[in-house]
Amino acid sequence: MTAGAPFDPEIECMDPEARRELQEQRLQGLVDRLLATDNFQGNRIREVGVMRGTDVRLDEIHLLPTITKQDLWDHYPFGLRIAEQEDIVCVHGSSGTGGRPTLIPYTAHDVEVWAEVMARALAGAGATRRSIIHNAYGYGLFTGGLGVHHGGTRLKATVVPVSGGMTERQIRLIEDLRPDVLCCTPSYALRLADDLKNTSIKVGIFGAEPWTEEMRQEIQQRLGIRALDIYGLSEVIGPGVACESLDSEGLLNIAEDHFYPETVDGELVFTTLTKTGMPLLRYRTGDLATLHGPAGQRTLRRMSKLKGRKDDMLVIRGVNVFPTEIEAVVLEHASPHYLIVEDRRTTTAQLHVAVESTQDVRTALTNRLRERLGITCRVHVLEPGKLPRTEVGKAQRLARWTQGQAPIDGLT
């Protein structure tokens, strides 16, 4: 078996036309399941004249209404669930507004689907049943840790469920157990790289936050590994919706037999074809990416790395700016520890970029940001260690100041 070979060749290497027929059958089955309920989604599709699954063809899916995270919040906690309560085996979720999370109920079938797509992701990265997977994603409501765990177990690999934080213990376990696969956020991989030298790790699967090609190169150079991107969100299933493989040429293979992808104005939209707990028809993710055809051994469509989120886009003096554009420039001149601040304490918005480096980079970084973005940023150069390090979860790369808020130490 070649490195990164498909976990399920019958599905991952399926004839695209046969897969499309399967997707249409599953879409029609999903529509029938939704129509059998009296919940929000079933009522929405009745309103557009759909009365049975066979009323819908795959090439007409764009005519159906979309659903958003606001709809999930409006029907909190489980108003969109279609399975019976006794069929729910676990609940996961993500953060929301006002302390109210987005909660997603899973049936045993949903967990099986999750394990399957995560096993595909791990196998595509070169993991086998002989692998030791160091899993530094958080365990809990957040889907990262348990998603990798389910997939590693399905692959019959050895999973080290260390979770996030406690970096000294992480370093010791990596040195003692000699894993070949590392799973964590890209920012935490760079934190581990501060202390790891000459590791056994061959490949890393990094996700849960947007990261650039420049950060990929930084991770690969400092850890001496292949760094691959993984994508997912709890509303769809968790990690495993899409993942790079060793031969996918920098794009992520989508598990499109389970999650049908579209883009609407650059935004990823997914339909969960096979979920049974709380399936979603045309869910608008808020994530920005592009869709591409297959490459390598697999016939699955691929998606680009995330370009950002719709709600992360900054409008500074009439110019649209995405944080990933700033990161690409920062990594040309400084360490990966940086912070972007949108300052709206006055009537004229300002953009601050704080980096850890030496003062001689300030002018070059200011000029390069102006060239890339078309606006002038205030660049702050801080001593190493002044910006907070990530121990667990996602790195904070963006802050927003409004009237009355105190600035961060070292920035004014």
Side-chain angles (χ1 to χ4, degrees):
M1 181 181 291
T2 60
F7 175 74
D8 186 350
E10 184 177 347
I11 293 295
E12 295 176 75
C13 304
M14 191 178 198
D15 175 73
E17 283 304 313
R19 181 183 294 115
R20 190 168 179 83
E21 291 177 10
L22 175 64
Q23 290 169 330
E24 184 163 281
Q25 292 169 10
R26 289 178 168 178
L27 172 63
Q28 292 173 348
L30 168 62
V31 170
D32 279 332
R33 294 199 304 279
L34 294 174
L35 287 171
T37 72
D38 193 31
N39 78 10
F40 175 74
Q41 289 192 94
N43 292 332
R44 285 279 298 280
I45 56 179
R46 285 189 198 93
E47 290 172 359
V48 297
V50 175
M51 298 301 166
R52 62 188 65 82
T54 51
D55 290 344
V56 177
R57 301 290 300 273
L58 194 62
D59 59 6
E60 298 172 333
I61 192 172
H62 64 282
L63 301 176
L64 297 176
T66 59
I67 192 167
T68 67
K69 180 165 279 195
Q70 186 62 53
D71 295 320
L72 273 62
W73 288 336
D74 290 345
H75 296 85
Y76 177 87
F78 297 135
L80 300 184
R81 189 190 74 205
I82 68 170
E84 298 294 333
Q85 175 59 50
E86 56 264 33
D87 292 328
I88 301 303
V89 299
C90 64
V91 175
H92 285 283
S94 58
S95 59
T97 57
R100 179 179 58 180
T102 303
L103 296 179
I104 311 297
Y106 290 63
T107 62
H109 170 80
D110 297 337
V111 175
E112 286 295 311
V113 169
W114 194 10
E116 164 75 19
V117 296
M118 272 306 306
R120 294 184 198 176
L122 291 163
T128 69
R129 63 185 304 167
R130 296 180 296 278
S131 290
I132 298 176
I133 301 169
H134 185 93
N135 185 9
Y137 284 114
Y139 280 64
L141 274 180
F142 172 63
T143 53
L146 281 165
V148 171
H149 198 113
H150 291 320
T153 301
R154 173 63 64 85
L155 191 61
K156 298 183 179 179
T158 300
V159 181
V160 183
V162 67
S163 193
M166 293 179 282
T167 301
E168 288 186 11
R169 184 175 70 171
Q170 302 254 8
I171 299 297
R172 178 63 183 267
L173 287 170
I174 291 171
E175 291 174 344
D176 291 350
L177 300 182
R178 299 187 58 76
D180 54 314
V181 181
L182 171 64
C183 297
C184 63
T185 64
S187 53
Y188 193 61
L190 288 171
R191 171 65 187 90
L192 292 173
D194 289 340
D195 298 311
L196 280 174
K197 300 293 184 291
N198 301 318
T199 77
S200 58
I201 299 167
K202 304 299 181 187
V203 65
I205 301 176
F206 306 123
E209 60 191 23
W211 54 301
T212 59
E213 286 296 334
E214 289 79 7
M215 184 174 279
R216 187 205 300 273
Q217 295 303 319
E218 178 89 6
I219 292 170
Q220 291 185 156
Q221 187 273 324
R222 292 181 61 187
L223 286 174
I225 65 174
R226 281 288 299 274
L228 304 180
D229 196 1
I230 190 168
Y231 172 77
L233 60 167
S234 57
E235 297 94 315
V236 176
I237 197 72
V241 174
C243 190
E244 286 184 82
S245 56
L246 294 175
D247 64 348
S248 65
E249 301 177 358
L251 299 175
L252 290 73
N253 302 304
I254 303 169
E256 59 171 318
D257 53 314
H258 292 292
F259 316 115
Y260 184 77
E262 306 171 75
T263 54
V264 177
D265 298 326
E267 178 185 2
L268 285 171
V269 175
F270 281 101
T271 294
T272 61
L273 297 173
T274 57
K275 282 185 70 178
T276 56
M278 196 176 84
L280 298 177
L281 178 63
R282 303 198 71 216
Y283 179 68
R284 300 191 69 139
T285 65
D287 294 321
L288 302 174
T290 53
L291 297 178
H292 302 263
Q297 305 168 73
R298 295 162 179 81
T299 58
L300 299 162
R301 280 187 292 172
R302 298 172 298 156
M303 57 175 272
S304 68
K305 289 176 70 66
L306 292 189
K307 301 177 182 299
R309 284 191 54 81
K310 288 186 69 175
D311 51 7
D312 276 351
M313 186 180 77
L314 310 175
V315 182
I316 307 295
R317 301 190 294 279
V319 177
N320 296 342
V321 177
F322 286 99
T324 50
E325 295 181 281
I326 297 173
E327 179 181 284
V329 175
V330 166
L331 292 180
E332 295 174 6
H333 298 274
S335 82
H337 303 298
Y338 68 91
L339 181 67
I340 302 163
V341 178
E342 180 189 21
D343 186 356
R344 294 192 178 275
R345 294 175 296 172
T346 63
T347 55
T348 302
Q350 300 291 330
L351 194 61
H352 302 254
V353 179
V355 300
E356 293 182 357
S357 188
T358 55
Q359 293 295 328
D360 58 349
V361 308
R362 185 194 304 272
T363 300
L365 182 53
T366 300
N367 292 339
R368 184 71 182 91
L369 285 168
R370 186 188 303 113
E371 293 172 5
R372 178 72 175 256
L373 306 178
I375 59 172
T376 300
C377 303
R378 293 189 60 187
V379 173
H380 306 260
V381 180
L382 307 180
E383 296 178 1
K386 288 294 184 181
L387 290 172
R389 298 294 191 266
T390 299
E391 283 294 323
V392 63
K394 304 178 185 181
Q396 182 188 5
R397 302 294 196 195
L398 175 64
R400 288 181 164 96
W401 292 347
T402 56
Q403 187 64 39
Q405 285 186 289
I408 295 170
D409 185 35
L411 281 71
T412 57

